[in-house]
Amino acid sequence: MNKISRRAFVTSASAAGLVGVSGLALPYYSRASQRPAFTHGVQSGDIDETSGMVWTRTDRPSRVMFEVSSTENFANATRLAPLDTSPASDYTVKRLLTDLAADQDIFYRMIAADLADINAVSEPIVGRFRTAPASKRDIKFAWSGDTAGQGWGIDETGMKTYATIGKHTPDFFLHSGDTIYADGAMKDEVDLPGGGKWKNVVLIDGKRKVAETLEEYRDQWKYNMMDRSVLGLSAICPTFYQWDDHEVLNNWSDSKDLSADDRYSEKSIHVLAARAARAFHEMTTIRYEPSEPGRVYRKIAYGPLLDVFFLDMRSYRGPNGPAMQETMTPQSRILGEQQTKWLKRELANSKATWKIIAADMPLGLVVWDDGAKKVGAEAVSNGDNGAPKGRELEIADLLRYIKNAGIDNTVWLTADVHYTAAHYYNPDKAQFQDFNPFWEFVSGPIHAGTFGPNDFDMTFGPELKFIKAPTAEQGQNLPPSAGLQFFGLVDINGATEQMTVRLMDRDDNELYKVTLDPVRSA
């Protein structure tokens, strides 16, 4: 059988089809069985030219057999050594597939055998991804953030934006953070403004309270993977994960004080963050970094036209506060010294035409630590519109370095603020001017409440080129059914090397489009 196209595979292995061949009626339906089963689909991620991560989960201790092929019928498939699942990792298993051909459709299949009865085997479950190219070709990827927040869970429609992204058959999906809402307890029904009810038709006990235990953090992930559209996209498209605050709890930093928060019996932010980080790495396809187990920041090389640099703006930050320090100290940083050194070095060494900096928070939007009182910096900007202070010092140093090192074609992608926008950072409009102009594109939420817009801080001179956010009449925290759920699409032309960025809504309407010409180094 010849290789089939990605679109043909999507058609034949839609969300329902993939779930069907895996033996799952729906992941949240319980069913008695003497044979093991895969409970939450498959995932792939962190794909490069020759390797990629894959993941699945079983319902019991199992031995998972893996086959890898370049054809859908698994002719001449490579069989890999099996891996065992256990309660220690909540029956999850992930591995790095290596020695793959570049720019190749890869199909992977898993079968689980019950460790207590090795002859009892599951139905197979399959997924696919495409490796990165070794030569110039067209590239398409999507990005968004903010899943299952503010009490908006799986209704009768489900997480529709995931399905809309899947229709574009992107090479990968970049999840910009707030991948779960561990602090977002859900109810069966929510009253909607103007009448009517939102019904969370799928709900588990782990989503009825804030996450504190390791099991409760794991449940946050498993809940998202109970949605058909999430399952369907994961089976056909790699996800590149980063995290922000809601993987632990809202606006967390070392200064987070839970003493007066009655929702939490565990008051240590450090204990909660450790449990959340373990669940994050167990439940996603993020690669393991031996030099710093648990690290989130990393670079994915996706061929000669694209490098993606994933930032972690959460783990190494100083405590949230006014962010008005006039000198850079560990308390004023948001990336941390080691991550900043890594980013500078990797950007300078990059030979790719385009350098995507995937940030889990925007640079020039004011995000308050206390939104009601409008005090404290949660993101980079401190809201004073002046020369760099606090966390802005680290970003100013980075932007100056990018300019002085002659690093061209950097584009920032982010989410976090729950609306979509295009920002052009212009040194002529900035208080700090020692940088080259660049673009920042904001997307999300993918399935959460819609908010905004946020105010600009003019330290780095952001110019608003486009925005779609709730109007004053619509108010805040709009449900996904209101339609203001957003994602972005990036297309890189293999011949011209131009980058086209489109901002989309969940109904697949194109809201904004811009084509960027690459700067050609002398």
Side-chain angles (χ1 to χ4, degrees):
M1 180 178 180
N2 293 328
K3 286 194 306 179
I4 64 171
S5 69
R6 288 186 297 153
R7 185 167 294 278
F9 185 80
V10 172
T11 301
S12 65
S14 62
L18 282 165
V19 170
V21 300
S22 71
L24 295 169
L26 277 179
Y28 47 85
Y29 285 176
S30 63
R31 60 189 182 93
S33 175
Q34 297 304 310
R35 300 196 297 170
F38 296 103
T39 60
H40 293 81
V42 294
Q43 297 181 63
S44 63
D46 283 15
I47 308 300
D48 60 21
E49 291 181 23
T50 61
S51 63
M53 298 292 295
V54 296
W55 174 100
T56 193
R57 182 181 183 274
T58 61
D59 65 347
R60 68 193 72 179
S62 301
R63 177 154 296 169
V64 180
M65 280 75 74
F66 293 80
E67 291 182 294
V68 182
S69 177
S70 60
T71 58
E72 185 195 18
N73 68 350
F74 286 85
N76 301 313
T78 299
R79 293 186 178 183
L80 305 179
L83 299 177
D84 295 339
T85 68
S86 75
S89 60
D90 197 33
Y91 309 116
T92 63
V93 62
K94 66 180 184 179
R95 77 184 307 156
L96 182 67
L97 304 182
T98 59
D99 300 320
L100 305 176
D103 203 14
Q104 174 72 61
D105 283 325
I106 301 296
F107 300 87
Y108 57 97
R109 179 165 63 190
M110 306 173 195
I111 297 175
D114 192 333
L115 285 178
D117 180 5
I118 207 68
N119 293 317
V121 298
S122 70
E123 294 291 331
I125 191 168
V126 298
R128 66 150 305 278
F129 61 85
R130 186 179 185 181
T131 49
S135 57
K136 295 178 181 179
R137 69 150 163 88
D138 294 349
I139 296 171
K140 175 182 288 185
F141 69 92
W143 93 93
S144 188
D146 318 307
T147 300
Q150 291 73 51
W152 310 116
I154 304 172
D155 66 341
E156 291 182 353
T157 302
M159 299 188 189
K160 180 180 177 180
T161 313
Y162 279 89
T164 306
I165 291 171
K167 293 176 183 177
H168 291 273
T169 60
D171 290 302
F172 60 87
F173 168 55
L174 192 167
H175 202 309
S176 300
D178 292 341
T179 48
I180 59 170
Y181 276 74
D183 57 337
M186 288 183 180
K187 301 177 180 178
D188 294 279
E189 296 183 349
V190 181
D191 293 329
L192 295 173
K197 291 183 180 293
W198 172 280
K199 296 183 179 181
N200 289 315
V201 299
V202 179
L203 204 53
I204 58 175
D205 288 343
K207 286 297 296 183
R208 296 181 186 275
K209 67 178 292 292
V210 298
E212 299 179 80
T213 67
L214 175 59
E215 182 59 37
E216 288 168 346
Y217 278 108
R218 290 165 169 166
D219 280 348
Q220 306 294 314
W221 289 97
K222 287 185 280 190
Y223 179 75
N224 289 359
M225 288 183 274
M226 293 164 70
D227 180 80
R228 283 182 180 271
S229 298
V230 172
L231 281 175
L233 183 65
S234 294
I236 63 170
C237 175
T239 299
F240 297 174
Y241 288 98
Q242 62 189 140
W243 76 344
D244 190 33
D245 57 334
H246 290 285
E247 287 80 1
V248 181
L249 58 88
N250 187 48
N251 292 7
W252 72 273
S253 72
D254 276 354
S255 65
K256 193 70 174 182
D257 182 3
L258 296 173
S259 59
D261 194 331
D262 294 336
R263 300 174 303 164
Y264 289 89
S265 57
E266 174 56 67
K267 302 297 184 180
S268 169
I269 187 60
H270 303 98
V271 169
L272 294 173
R275 292 169 179 169
R278 176 171 173 176
F280 177 78
H281 284 268
E282 287 177 340
M283 294 291 174
T284 69
T285 50
I286 188 171
R287 292 199 186 209
Y288 175 80
E289 175 53 58
S291 66
E292 185 186 345
R295 201 174 91 179
V296 174
Y297 71 85
R298 63 205 188 279
K299 184 190 86 170
I300 301 294
Y302 205 83
L305 296 182
L306 178 64
D307 281 344
V308 185
F309 303 85
F310 293 86
L311 303 188
D312 180 355
M313 304 173 81
R314 187 59 55 179
S315 301
Y316 313 102
R317 63 169 56 197
N320 283 3
M324 296 298 288
Q325 299 96 332
E326 296 190 358
T327 59
M328 194 160 17
T329 66
Q331 288 70 38
S332 68
R333 288 182 178 271
I334 189 167
L335 298 178
E337 184 177 4
Q338 294 303 314
Q339 182 177 191
T340 302
K341 287 181 178 178
W342 164 86
L343 180 59
K344 289 178 178 179
R345 180 179 68 250
E346 293 296 333
L347 284 169
N349 291 337
S350 174
K351 305 301 182 184
T353 302
W354 292 99
K355 293 91 175 169
I356 292 290
I357 301 177
D360 46 289
M361 305 199 79
L363 298 183
L365 293 176
V366 181
V367 183
W368 299 112
D369 188 38
D370 186 334
K373 297 179 182 179
K374 293 190 174 182
V375 296
E378 157 64 1
V380 173
S381 296
N382 55 30
D384 78 340
N385 294 302
K389 297 184 181 68
R391 292 169 178 166
E392 296 166 344
L393 292 167
E394 194 172 44
I395 301 302
D397 172 69
L398 174 62
L399 296 179
R400 181 191 295 113
Y401 174 84
I402 290 172
K403 175 186 175 182
N404 291 341
I407 300 167
D408 298 321
N409 306 320
T410 60
V411 174
W412 293 65
L413 300 182
T414 189
D416 183 66
V417 290
H418 294 238
Y419 65 90
T420 190
H423 304 149
Y424 182 72
Y425 285 79
N426 186 348
D428 294 336
K429 305 289 182 66
Q431 293 299 310
F432 172 80
Q433 298 183 319
D434 194 9
F435 67 95
N436 290 330
F438 65 95
W439 285 84
E440 174 189 66
F441 298 97
V442 184
S443 196
I446 193 170
H447 190 84
T450 312
F451 291 87
N454 291 45
D455 293 332
F456 271 141
D457 184 307
M458 295 308 296
T459 298
F460 301 117
E463 295 180 356
L464 182 62
K465 298 297 185 180
F466 174 80
I467 186 171
K468 183 74 172 180
T471 64
E473 292 74 23
Q474 288 175 306
Q476 300 290 289
N477 195 17
L478 302 184
S481 55
L484 298 184
Q485 305 289 298
F486 306 110
F487 66 98
L489 285 173
V490 178
D491 289 275
I492 302 176
N493 186 291
T496 68
E497 302 186 26
Q498 292 175 309
M499 174 184 287
T500 299
V501 181
R502 292 182 284 160
L503 302 180
M504 314 289 292
D505 68 17
R506 83 169 192 163
D507 293 321
D508 214 21
N509 297 306
E510 182 182 296
L511 307 175
Y512 178 78
K513 176 180 177 181
V514 63
T515 296
L516 310 180
D517 294 318
V519 173
R520 308 291 184 180
S521 299

